[in-house]
Amino acid sequence: MAVLVIAEHDNHQLKADTLKAVSAASQLDGDIHLLVAGSDCADVVSAASQLAGVSKVFVAEHAVYQHQQAENIAELIAANAASYSHILAAATSFGKDVLPRAAALLDVAMVSDIVEIVDGETFVRPIYAGSALATVKSLDAVKVVSIRSSAFDAVAQGGNAVTETLPQVFEPLSEFVSKTAIASERPELSSANVVVSGGRALGSAANFALIEQLADKLGGAVGASRAAVDAGYVANDLQVGQTGKIVAPSLYIAVGISGAIQHLAGMKDSKVIVAINKDPQAPIFQVADYGLEADLFEALPSLIEMI
Amino acid sequence: MKVLVAVKRVVDANVKVRVSADHSGVELANVKMALNPFCEIAVEEAIRLKEAGKASEVVVVTIGTSAAQEQLRTALALGADRAIHVTTDAELVPLSVAKLLLAVQQQEQAQLIILGKQSIDGDNNQTGQMLAALGKLPQATFISEVEMIDGGVAVTREVDGGVQVVKLPLPAVLTTDLRLNEPRYATLPNIMKAKKKPLDTVTAESLGVTLKTHQQILSVTPPKARQAGVMVDSVAALVDKLKNEAKVI
């Protein structure tokens, strides 16, 4: 049996999360096939066919797949699922949208956001905002699984997969109107090696510039707590936590973040955690490798200076 | 337009849960339970649609043991008109929940079905998408804005890297993200009034849905504890530690 990985892309570039999903797939027995559904996505197909371990790339190119809406991509996945033991995608907003829909069409349950593969039918996944790890055995014939990107390494280049065209056309049930992307020159939050996050204590959007300066100095990404997002200091796609992005960088610096369970769920697998907070009782200090009790408006400028 | 809102009883978001000693699950005895925060947002949105004259009736539904009626009463106190309790003691995967919800939706002929994007206990983020799939309905997940338009609904979705706007014909399934709204509190008079609102009980079997066993939880364990950290007394000491001890900068 083979493993089908659903590729995520913007019709130009293959998302780094897909490389993680392929690497998870390589821990399972069987050939790895990739499904690329999109419109004018030749570059994506060529990148996909070069991933190590991928033996075949299925290409569904049509205008109806341009925005990768869940309704028709799920139909496409379900229509081609018969010969697979596993269907995998990264647990990004795309994967979370599409994969459960495809699973239901196949009448199988799904295992979300796994952090470890025990064997072909047994997976480990966090529950209760990461307060517990459940080992789940799937009894379904087809295992539909989304993987947590931060728990798997990206697969290398060096493959030479054959491509095959899928002619099926499924119309989406919803109408795409627009997408507003938030432009950033910094590394992507979920794959960055260093993440500097700010919380409510920053006090204003203008003060968030301090977080950005430190991130830039370290070549890292900027993150935020929910409080900082709700207060309007930064856009909501920078939120780290149970309901935002899950990150596991080498270095995570939490500035002015108290460390609620929901925030910790998004960053506590970081290799080194630094907390800067003026409240010595803040729960963030319980997970921090290095804690500094200080006023962030004094500590940050000197930290930026010294690095 | 009738709106159906699915709600779930979960451990209160502020409770620090503990894994049970035999690793069969988490300790739920004597733990404070509450309405799942994302379901609260879903209820709030439905009530706002009614207040704006867009919805004629708001029906809330939950699936679970009799204790879950407490959460239905909360939703009624917030402004829902009527509640349906599908009773079962079984542990259900989201696919089974979706099948039961679809049966309720079809019985009620609801035009808009609103769910939370995920429950904070299982963290699955599946039920809404599965319900939409089974009903062959359009779906919009992670929504932060809703607008009723001619013959349908226009929604803003929170996706990685930005926001997306899509239009859906009715009936449609929506799942709420945190920023959709700020849920209201139930007032005491409304809590009293909610006790008199209709709450129908049906069994899972009577809905004519056959459920299967799809998964087995082998064990639940606490996550690996982090090594205790150290406090440093100055920025200079911190930089020194990061450079020479952790070697991350």
Side-chain angles (χ1 to χ4, degrees):
Chain A
M1 294 291 262
V3 182
L4 182 66
V5 179
I6 315 303
E8 180 173 353
H9 61 89
D10 57 5
N11 292 317
H12 305 290
Q13 229 176 352
L14 190 64
K15 287 273 163 70
D17 299 287
T18 304
L19 276 57
K20 311 281 185 80
V22 170
S23 136
S26 66
Q27 294 182 24
L28 298 161
D29 281 339
D31 281 351
I32 301 172
H33 297 171
L34 220 57
L35 171 62
V36 178
S39 171
D40 289 326
C41 51
D43 290 349
V44 178
V45 174
S46 110
S49 60
Q50 286 163 33
L51 297 181
V54 176
S55 63
K56 200 184 267 188
V57 177
F58 287 103
V59 186
E61 259 194 303
H62 194 280
V64 298
Y65 299 128
Q66 189 183 353
H67 304 294
Q68 299 179 44
Q69 282 145 287
E71 296 102 347
N72 56 349
I73 303 284
E75 291 280 358
L76 182 69
I77 295 169
N80 291 285
S83 56
Y84 292 99
S85 58
H86 296 79
I87 299 176
L88 257 59
T92 57
S93 55
F94 168 76
K96 289 173 181 172
D97 193 35
V98 170
L99 226 43
R101 192 168 177 115
L105 294 176
L106 296 166
D107 195 29
V108 299
M110 178 183 156
V111 190
S112 289
D113 216 10
I114 63 156
V115 294
E116 192 189 325
I117 295 173
V118 179
D119 58 40
E121 50 195 21
T122 316
F123 311 94
V124 179
R125 58 180 301 268
I127 53 174
Y128 290 91
S131 304
L133 292 170
T135 303
V136 183
K137 183 177 177 182
S138 167
L139 308 174
D140 288 312
V142 185
K143 277 89 180 150
V144 179
V145 179
S146 69
I147 67 115
R148 179 171 288 193
S149 305
S150 63
F152 295 89
D153 294 326
V155 77
Q157 302 276 314
N160 188 15
V162 293
T163 57
E164 195 174 305
T165 306
L166 290 179
Q168 292 130 316
V169 173
F170 296 99
E171 296 287 336
L173 303 175
S174 57
E175 181 193 336
F176 175 88
V177 178
S178 64
K179 180 167 178 185
T180 314
I182 293 156
S184 172
E185 282 165 16
R186 297 191 181 88
E188 212 183 329
L189 183 54
S190 47
S191 55
N193 202 29
V194 176
V195 173
V196 185
S197 279
R200 196 201 306 269
L202 266 297
S204 74
N207 289 342
F208 227 84
L210 283 170
I211 298 287
E212 290 166 2
Q213 283 170 29
L214 179 58
D216 290 345
K217 201 101 189 235
L218 293 165
V222 169
S225 69
R226 187 187 165 202
V229 172
D230 283 352
Y233 303 165
V234 289
N236 54 30
D237 66 326
L238 295 188
Q239 185 183 321
V240 172
Q242 185 185 21
T243 59
K245 297 262 168 58
I246 314 280
V247 300
S250 304
L251 174 62
Y252 188 89
I253 306 182
V255 184
I257 292 176
S258 65
I261 308 172
Q262 290 81 359
H263 185 75
L264 300 183
M267 45 65 81
K268 66 186 172 62
D269 291 324
S270 305
K271 200 162 148 249
V272 175
I273 297 173
V274 172
I276 301 174
N277 205 301
K278 64 178 176 187
D279 174 11
Q281 304 302 325
I284 190 79
F285 286 126
Q286 290 166 20
V287 299
D289 299 282
Y290 302 108
L292 175 63
E293 181 193 338
D295 184 336
L296 69 95
F297 294 107
E298 285 163 22
L300 272 186
S302 53
L303 185 56
I304 293 165
E305 177 106 338
M306 276 190 227
I307 286 173
Chain B
M1 178 186 72
K2 192 193 277 189
V3 184
L4 182 69
V5 184
V7 299
K8 186 177 184 186
R9 174 185 170 88
V10 298
V11 171
D12 186 280
N14 300 309
V15 170
K16 186 149 176 47
V17 298
R18 280 178 214 297
V19 171
S20 62
D22 64 356
H23 289 176
S24 63
V26 300
E27 292 288 356
L28 292 179
N30 303 317
V31 169
K32 188 182 174 215
M33 304 296 280
L35 198 54
N36 180 42
F38 293 100
C39 303
E40 237 180 318
I41 294 169
V43 172
E44 174 68 30
E45 198 60 28
I47 294 163
R48 288 186 189 189
L49 287 171
K50 195 183 172 201
E51 287 170 346
K54 313 273 188 194
S56 53
E57 193 184 25
V58 176
V59 181
V60 287
V61 55
T62 198
I63 301 166
T65 61
S66 56
Q69 289 196 3
E70 194 187 323
Q71 277 61 48
L72 287 177
R73 291 290 173 201
T74 304
L76 291 171
L78 292 171
D81 297 298
R82 199 152 62 74
I84 300 170
H85 177 208
V86 181
T87 56
T88 174
D89 293 334
E91 281 282 333
L92 299 175
V93 290
L95 180 64
S96 305
V97 173
K99 286 178 179 175
L100 293 167
L101 289 178
L102 180 69
V104 173
Q105 187 266 330
Q106 288 175 341
Q107 227 165 52
E108 293 286 330
Q109 288 297 305
Q111 291 294 293
L112 202 58
I113 307 102
I114 314 181
L115 301 88
K117 78 165 176 183
Q118 75 190 60
S119 60
I120 59 164
D121 50 1
D123 283 335
N124 285 302
N125 198 328
Q126 300 172 5
T127 308
Q129 295 89 314
M130 290 183 158
L131 167 63
L134 299 172
K136 303 271 175 231
L137 304 172
Q139 73 183 47
T141 48
F142 327 136
I143 58 166
S144 57
E145 237 179 283
V146 176
E147 193 195 342
M148 299 311 296
I149 48 166
D150 237 8
V153 57
V155 300
T156 304
R157 300 182 55 223
E158 297 199 355
V159 293
D160 294 337
V163 294
Q164 194 188 62
V165 179
V166 284
K167 282 186 194 168
L168 296 83
L170 299 180
V173 177
L174 310 179
T175 76
T176 64
D177 214 321
L178 277 175
R179 264 159 294 277
L180 180 59
N181 60 46
E182 186 92 21
R184 70 193 67 188
Y185 289 101
T187 61
L188 188 60
N190 285 340
I191 292 170
M192 300 312 287
K193 272 186 231 161
K195 292 183 176 167
K196 296 203 178 70
K197 288 187 181 177
L199 191 160
D200 295 326
T201 304
V202 294
T203 60
E205 293 74 31
S206 74
L207 289 169
V209 179
T210 321
L211 300 177
K212 289 189 280 190
T213 307
H214 294 273
Q215 288 175 355
Q216 217 179 327
I217 294 186
L218 301 183
S219 72
V220 175
T221 52
K224 246 204 306 213
R226 289 188 74 93
Q227 290 261 319
V230 293
M231 294 298 285
V232 294
D233 55 6
S234 68
V235 172
L238 175 63
V239 173
D240 176 64
K241 291 274 192 197
L242 291 178
K243 276 191 176 144
N244 302 318
E245 194 177 280
K247 297 188 171 44
V248 280
I249 59 172

